[in-house]
Amino acid sequence: MDPIIRTLPPPSSLSPSVVSFLNTKLNTREDLDQAPGLVSELRNQCHALDQSLSDLNTQLRDYLRNYASHSDRTGALLRDINSKLGDLQFASRSAASSSDGGSGKVLGEELPALAKEIARVDTVRTYAETALKLDTLVGDIEDAVSSTVKRTLRREQSTKSSEEMRGVAIRTLKLTEDTLRFVAKTYPQWTRLVLAVDHRVDRSLAILRPQAIADHRSLLTSLGWPPPLSTLNSSGTESKQSADVQNPLFTMKRDLKQQYCESFLALCSLQELQRQRKSRQLEGQNREIALHQPLWAIEELVNPISIASQHHFSKWVDKPEYIFALVYKVTRDYVDSMDELLQPLVDEAMLSGYSCREEWISAMVTSLSTYLAKEIFPVYVSQLDEESTSGTQSQARISWLHLIDLMIAFDKRIQSLASHSGIVLSWQEDGKPEKLSSFSVFCDRSDWLDLWADIELTDAFDKLKPEIENERSWSMEVRGVAALSAQEDNKSPAIAGAFHQRLSAVIDRCRSLPSITLRSRFLKLTGPPIIHKFLGSLLFRCQEAEGLTALTDDDALMKVAKSVNAARYFESILNEWCEDIFFLEMGLNQVTQLDTSTDGNDFCSEESSGNGILYGEIKKLEEFRVGWVEKLSVVVLRGFNVCCRDYLKNKKQWQEKGEEGWMVSQCFVGALDYLQGKMSVLEKALNRMDFVGVWRSLAPGLDKLIFNGILMTNAKFSDGGVERLSNDLTVLFGVFGAWCLRPEGFFPKLSEGLKMLKMGKKQLQNCLAGGEIWLKETGIRHLTAIELEKVAKNRI
């Protein structure tokens, strides 16, 4: 026999695992040719195992050396304590036979020092015991993690032992974390010990978590996850699931289901452990940032679906409705399994604050938002850029708005699906509704939000332009539901309803944004420009009417009155909106941002003082309305002045009796007719509240005009003249009597001047001599002393 050839030992002397290995590797004659390579591979593995064993022996020696060091130090401390206790006993005996001064020294000086030393030694002992306990626990963790990794590298068919070792590591990690939490709370000065243990635990977790996730992924692959996505039936109804959709989570075999549940529990336990560690490490800081993380096990279900879906998404860039339909269908088809199968496992892992239904939906929405941000929106932005260079942006804008419509509809269906279980969603507690919103793509891209706002604004202007140019929109009054939300007697033209509907539509679209800051930014970019456009149109029509006829024509008055009505209507609409919680939240957010930016300064603008985010626009509408109401009253007053100019100049008429058969002076009739005619036009055209403003503003002007034009001149009044003036003023007051009960109260100077003229000579002298007290008792409060003297001198 050739001496180089070695015979194999008998099979009976080999272990079953070795026999199985040889049968696998050397099954045929051709496998013998690969024997040298197999020998080299086995030698390398043996060398690696020997090296690993050597490292473990070295590590064990270090642990034993550290333990011996701690033990020697503790023994020395205990011997020191025994020695000092012996000294204390000797001192006590000596004190019993000595004077009281020696006993006082022991009790007053040496005993407190000894107690302090004993407390220090006890603390050191506790530290040593705690450090030793933590060192043992961390060593157990590292051993369990190392065993898990080795079993994985050997590719053993049975994963049960690997799961058991991972369970041991997780349980030991929990004990370690409980101990660290106790140490951090009871002995906060031991920070170096806690940091050292955290460092070693972090290294173990850096190995354990990826390995657990890798095993979980391989298990999902063996389950047949992800399910096929080609069964999408877009024509099917929303409530009816596809009959051919097989849910692998429900079709698992018994052993495979048990393995999956154990793996799922392991991931949940690891995540809860990580949450507890973060909670301890971030004690006293803003912990909400790191504590509530997406559920790892649910992410492992969503990630392969997201990767498989992108194959379909890439074909539907121009048909995004298919993308939303596919994501919603997959989300809906598997959401029930989250409640029925996985939620009990999360509860068993004591992972508080997590809903599997919500986490599943949130993860699916997040994957969609990520794809939109990476693939869809950049394409649409580039299309807008290309069309902007050519001067036409119609098609790209239409595509963008269509995508926004799809996102709004998708979010509504998703939120309905999330709330179907009837539980309160956790995002309402942590204030992060973007978890269930595809509009979260705008959270990190404010430039896209600005671009969207600009597109919406341009679209709104394009749709409003025909309404502005249509004269019927200015002549017809607003009708329908829009009119009911404002005042009952608004008399507003239809153009105000058109602007209201367009602004409402833009605001409704921004309601889908997931944060108050984004909604506030979008509203500031779209709302004020639309309102300014509306106000500019009103101002243009009023200025056009004023420039053509100086508002002397009734048609011009009607045009201005309708513009004032439109401003009143829109102002009332905005005031109603500012009382809604949607706008109140944005107003409060604006105040908070201002307080932060001013670093506590007392300055705070009116616009952000709690009056609403549209406060500035409301003030501008109010200023426009008040200004033109004043202008209307001035126009009527000016025309009345022209009509009664001869009446005011004729001073001789106050020494004559009134014309026979006339209750009012003939020269005054024309002015009263003009006044009544103009006021009738305004009463018919203006809304009730602004008409009140017109006649209330007009009455003081007429009072001053007639008082200065008649009573403050050198006209002399006889008894007949006083009666004549009284008749004229009675008719004038009668014009205003249609709108108030005591019209003379709005003409204080004329009323009191006429009262002075009707006084007798003696009463008039007493009035002048009695001073202010007598005047107030007489009811004269609006005339000055000079005016009283002037009126008194005019009486014949």
Side-chain angles (χ1 to χ4, degrees):
M1 180 181 293
D2 192 350
I4 299 178
I5 299 175
R6 298 179 181 177
T7 59
L8 291 174
S12 59
S13 64
L14 299 177
S15 64
S17 60
V18 173
V19 173
S20 175
F21 175 79
L22 292 176
N23 289 335
T24 303
K25 295 296 183 178
L26 305 175
N27 193 18
T28 61
R29 183 176 295 275
E30 287 76 9
D31 292 336
L32 295 176
D33 298 335
Q34 307 296 330
L38 178 61
V39 171
S40 177
E41 181 182 356
L42 292 174
R43 286 177 178 174
N44 291 334
Q45 292 181 2
C46 291
H47 177 72
L49 291 175
D50 291 338
Q51 184 63 36
S52 177
L53 181 60
S54 176
D55 294 341
L56 289 175
N57 289 330
T58 303
Q59 190 175 9
L60 181 60
R61 283 196 299 272
D62 293 338
Y63 288 158
L64 293 175
R65 190 182 298 110
N66 292 333
Y67 176 76
S69 175
H70 290 312
S71 179
D72 294 341
R73 194 182 311 164
T74 303
L77 291 172
L78 293 176
R79 287 192 296 271
D80 188 24
I81 291 173
N82 289 329
S83 176
K84 290 188 176 183
L85 288 175
D87 295 340
L88 177 62
Q89 185 177 9
F90 177 77
S92 300
R93 292 174 179 175
S94 300
S97 59
S98 63
S99 62
D100 295 339
S103 177
K105 181 179 180 182
V106 171
L107 296 175
E109 298 179 6
E110 298 182 3
L111 191 58
L114 181 60
K116 185 177 180 179
E117 182 66 17
I118 291 174
R120 186 186 69 82
V121 172
D122 184 67
T123 302
V124 173
R125 179 185 61 80
T126 305
Y127 182 88
E129 292 177 352
T130 305
L132 183 60
K133 178 181 178 181
L134 288 172
D135 186 60
T136 303
L137 289 173
V138 175
D140 293 341
I141 294 171
E142 293 171 345
D143 290 342
V145 172
S146 177
S147 299
T148 304
V149 174
K150 287 181 179 179
R151 292 180 185 276
T152 304
L153 292 177
R154 292 173 183 173
R155 302 179 182 273
E156 293 186 353
Q157 295 179 358
S158 174
T159 59
K160 183 176 181 180
S161 56
S162 179
E163 290 295 335
E164 288 179 352
M165 295 305 298
R166 186 177 294 119
V168 170
I170 293 175
R171 287 191 293 273
T172 311
L173 280 167
K174 289 182 178 180
L175 291 176
T176 305
E177 179 57 31
D178 292 340
T179 305
L180 287 176
R181 187 177 294 274
F182 172 78
V183 170
K185 185 177 181 180
T186 309
Y187 304 101
Q189 67 273 20
W190 295 355
T191 52
R192 292 189 177 181
L193 174 63
V194 175
L195 290 175
V197 176
D198 274 339
H199 179 67
R200 293 178 63 183
V201 171
D202 287 338
R203 287 190 302 177
S204 297
L205 285 175
I207 300 173
L208 187 62
R209 179 190 170 187
Q211 189 61 49
I213 291 177
D215 292 344
H216 192 76
R217 289 175 180 175
S218 62
L219 186 58
L220 283 175
T221 303
S222 64
L223 291 176
W225 192 272
L229 304 178
S230 59
T231 57
L232 174 66
N233 184 11
S234 59
S235 62
T237 59
E238 179 179 319
S239 60
K240 183 179 179 181
Q241 298 183 3
S242 300
D244 52 356
V245 172
Q246 296 294 327
N247 189 342
L249 299 179
F250 282 146
T251 59
M252 290 186 293
K253 302 297 183 181
R254 181 175 300 176
D255 294 340
L256 203 56
K257 182 176 181 179
Q258 182 179 359
Q259 293 178 19
Y260 175 77
C261 292
E262 290 176 354
S263 179
F264 190 94
L265 276 172
L267 281 182
C268 290
S269 299
L270 277 175
Q271 186 164 5
E272 174 62 15
L273 176 67
Q274 185 72 8
R275 189 193 67 81
Q276 292 178 1
R277 287 171 53 78
K278 288 293 182 182
S279 177
R280 171 178 56 80
Q281 295 169 355
L282 299 177
E283 187 72 34
Q285 304 179 25
N286 186 11
R287 299 183 296 172
E288 295 299 327
I289 299 176
L291 292 188
H292 192 90
Q293 298 293 329
L295 204 57
W296 298 345
I298 299 298
E299 284 188 325
E300 295 307 318
L301 291 174
V302 173
N303 288 337
I305 291 181
S306 178
I307 295 173
S309 299
Q310 292 183 12
H311 172 71
H312 300 280
F313 291 169
S314 61
K315 305 175 184 178
W316 298 336
V317 175
D318 296 331
K319 295 289 185 179
E321 56 268 20
Y322 295 160
I323 297 177
F324 290 96
L326 177 59
V327 174
Y328 177 76
K329 178 186 179 300
V330 174
T331 305
R332 182 200 65 203
D333 286 348
Y334 301 101
V335 71
D336 291 337
S337 60
M338 304 299 150
D339 287 338
E340 299 175 16
L341 178 63
L342 302 185
Q343 186 62 45
L345 298 178
V346 173
D347 297 337
E348 182 180 349
M350 301 182 69
L351 196 58
S352 60
Y354 282 93
S355 165
C356 283
R357 168 182 283 265
E358 179 190 339
E359 292 298 324
W360 164 257
I361 298 174
S362 173
M364 290 296 296
V365 173
T366 301
S367 67
L368 172 64
S369 301
T370 303
Y371 185 81
L372 292 177
K374 290 183 177 180
E375 303 296 337
I376 302 299
F377 273 97
V379 173
Y380 282 24
V381 172
S382 63
Q383 290 177 357
L384 285 171
D385 294 338
E386 292 175 1
E387 292 189 356
S388 63
T389 57
S390 62
T392 59
Q393 296 185 3
S394 57
Q395 188 57 43
R397 276 172 27 201
I398 292 173
S399 300
W400 185 289
L401 294 176
H402 178 58
L403 178 62
I404 296 297
D405 291 336
L406 293 173
M407 293 171 66
I408 293 174
F410 175 80
D411 282 1
K412 290 181 179 179
R413 300 170 73 190
I414 281 294
Q415 291 170 9
S416 174
L417 189 65
S419 61
H420 182 68
S421 61
I423 61 175
V424 179
L425 299 180
S426 63
W427 64 262
Q428 295 176 346
E429 300 174 0
D430 60 18
K432 295 182 179 180
E434 63 267 17
K435 292 167 56 178
L436 298 180
S437 175
S438 60
F439 282 87
S440 58
V441 296
F442 294 109
C443 291
D444 299 325
R445 294 302 302 263
S446 59
D447 54 334
W448 289 355
L449 182 69
D450 297 346
L451 185 58
W452 174 30
D454 182 68
I455 293 173
E456 291 284 356
L457 190 61
T458 304
D459 181 68
F461 286 163
D462 291 343
K463 293 178 179 178
L464 287 171
K465 185 177 180 181
E467 297 287 342
I468 297 174
E469 296 175 353
N470 186 5
E471 194 62 30
R472 293 188 60 187
S473 299
W474 296 94
S475 58
M476 295 175 57
E477 291 187 4
V478 62
R479 302 291 182 185
V481 180
L484 299 178
S485 60
Q487 299 174 14
E488 183 178 352
D489 183 25
N490 59 80
K491 297 182 180 179
S492 176
I495 187 65
F499 270 90
H500 168 226
Q501 292 176 0
R502 188 52 48 195
L503 181 60
S504 298
V506 172
I507 292 174
D508 287 341
R509 292 168 74 79
C510 84
R511 291 178 187 270
S512 300
L513 289 169
S515 71
I516 298 175
T517 303
L518 292 179
R519 292 195 292 268
S520 177
R521 182 184 182 94
F522 185 89
L523 182 58
K524 288 179 181 178
L525 292 173
T526 55
I530 293 177
I531 300 173
H532 294 165
K533 180 72 172 179
F534 174 67
L535 193 56
S537 301
L538 298 181
L539 183 62
F540 175 78
R541 288 183 67 84
C542 291
Q543 291 177 343
E544 184 183 35
E546 184 182 28
L548 292 176
T549 64
L551 301 183
T552 57
D553 185 59
D554 289 349
D555 291 338
L557 287 179
M558 296 279 287
K559 184 178 291 188
V560 173
K562 287 185 178 296
S563 297
V564 171
N565 293 339
R568 164 72 69 176
Y569 170 80
F570 222 78
E571 181 186 341
S572 62
I573 289 293
L574 295 183
N575 280 319
E576 288 179 8
W577 285 356
C578 288
E579 296 176 0
D580 187 82
I581 186 65
F582 176 76
F583 293 91
L584 289 176
E585 288 178 342
M586 288 188 285
L588 293 175
N589 182 68
Q590 189 174 356
V591 173
T592 303
Q593 291 180 350
L594 181 65
D595 291 342
T596 304
S597 62
T598 55
D599 296 330
N601 295 336
D602 294 333
F603 171 76
C604 184
S605 65
E606 290 183 351
E607 187 171 349
S608 59
S609 61
N611 292 316
I613 193 171
L614 298 176
Y615 177 77
E617 284 62 44
I618 294 175
K619 290 295 293 182
K620 290 177 182 178
L621 287 169
E622 182 182 359
E623 292 171 359
F624 167 84
R625 180 178 51 78
V626 172
W628 282 95
V629 165
E630 284 285 338
K631 190 165 293 187
L632 288 175
S633 62
V634 169
V635 167
V636 176
L637 180 62
R638 188 187 303 123
F640 180 85
N641 186 19
V642 172
C643 293
C644 68
R645 189 169 297 168
D646 295 337
Y647 173 75
L648 297 178
K649 289 181 178 180
N650 187 3
K651 299 181 178 58
K652 293 183 179 180
Q653 62 181 330
W654 309 119
Q655 300 179 22
E656 304 171 355
K657 293 183 179 181
E659 295 91 337
E660 186 176 352
W662 289 85
M663 291 295 296
V664 62
S665 301
Q666 295 185 30
C667 296
F668 197 49
V669 171
L672 291 175
D673 183 65
Y674 169 84
L675 176 64
Q676 195 164 15
K678 293 299 181 182
M679 294 304 291
S680 297
V681 172
L682 292 177
E683 184 177 16
K684 180 180 178 181
L686 270 177
N687 64 85
R688 183 171 60 248
M689 296 186 66
D690 284 316
F691 178 72
V692 171
V694 169
W695 70 258
R696 281 178 173 267
S697 177
L698 179 61
L702 293 174
D703 183 48
K704 184 178 180 181
L705 172 67
I706 298 174
F707 181 80
N708 292 334
I710 297 177
L711 298 181
M712 288 294 98
T713 61
N714 295 323
K716 302 300 180 180
F717 286 86
S718 62
D719 293 341
V722 173
E723 182 180 359
R724 183 173 187 170
L725 178 62
S726 177
N727 293 336
D728 292 347
L729 294 182
T730 300
V731 178
L732 175 64
F733 295 161
V735 174
F736 288 84
W739 311 307
C740 60
L741 295 176
R742 292 186 65 256
E744 59 274 7
F746 295 94
F747 297 85
K749 290 184 175 293
L750 284 176
S751 299
E752 295 179 1
L754 183 61
K755 187 175 184 178
M756 289 282 295
L757 292 176
K758 289 182 178 181
M759 288 182 182
K761 182 177 180 180
K762 185 177 181 180
Q763 187 181 9
L764 190 59
Q765 290 175 353
N766 293 335
C767 179
L768 295 176
E772 293 184 1
I773 297 177
W774 195 91
L775 290 175
K776 290 182 179 180
E777 292 178 354
T778 311
I780 298 176
R781 296 179 176 84
H782 297 86
L783 298 181
T784 64
I786 298 176
E787 292 172 342
L788 286 171
E789 185 178 358
K790 186 73 172 176
V791 172
K793 289 181 179 180
N794 290 341
R795 183 70 167 93
I796 300 176

